[in-house]
Amino acid sequence: QVQLVESGGGSVQAGGSLRLSCAASGYTDAIVCMGWFRQAPGKTIEGVAAGRNGGGSAYADSVRGRFTISKDDAKNTLYLQMNSLRPEDTAIYYCAARPGPFCTGSLISTWYRAWGQGTQVTVST
């Protein structure tokens, strides 16, 4: 059974940093495509960052240059390093995954098949 477990959320002041982790288990596929999404109160879910084949990445314009997605294939763990955080980054952050082999860096939520439970990130002024 596929399971995604996020961790690393919390509260931070504007300008601070947080690192989110997402541990994936239950996959037998050689390649698993993974990404990060977020949902702020009263808003629709938004794609934040996603991995591409060959180590590439895709980012939402709102986070490009501040957030970095990375993956440890040996640990099957996805990370999101978030720097220069802003109050508008406040949201529940979700990890999402889909078996490969073609990881396009999709930021479309419906492309993914499995989701974590989410972790809250709160950025205060």
Side-chain angles (χ1 to χ4, degrees):
Q1 183 179 353
V2 170
Q3 189 173 20
L4 303 175
V5 179
E6 300 103 333
S7 60
S11 297
V12 65
Q13 288 192 324
S17 298
L18 284 173
R19 188 194 195 203
L20 305 184
S21 299
C22 172
S25 61
Y27 279 106
T28 58
D29 308 84
I31 296 175
V32 179
C33 307
M34 299 181 75
W36 289 99
F37 290 77
R38 66 186 181 186
Q39 188 167 26
K43 294 190 176 181
T44 58
I45 197 163
E46 174 192 20
V48 175
R52 291 189 173 120
N53 294 117
S57 306
Y59 294 94
D61 289 343
S62 58
V63 307
R64 188 176 292 112
R66 300 187 297 123
F67 291 10
T68 303
I69 189 173
S70 61
K71 189 180 179 194
D72 185 333
D73 288 324
K75 296 181 180 179
N76 230 9
T77 299
L78 185 72
Y79 302 99
L80 185 68
Q81 178 66 45
M82 305 185 294
N83 298 328
S84 302
L85 283 161
R86 305 167 180 169
E88 54 264 39
D89 294 319
T90 295
I92 299 174
Y93 283 70
Y94 297 92
C95 170
R98 169 182 172 138
F102 302 113
C103 302
T104 62
S106 176
L107 296 178
I108 307 297
S109 61
T110 53
W111 191 80
Y112 293 86
R113 294 293 177 262
W115 292 81
Q117 82 287 353
T119 185
Q120 177 71 46
V121 171
T122 302
V123 185
S124 58
T125 55

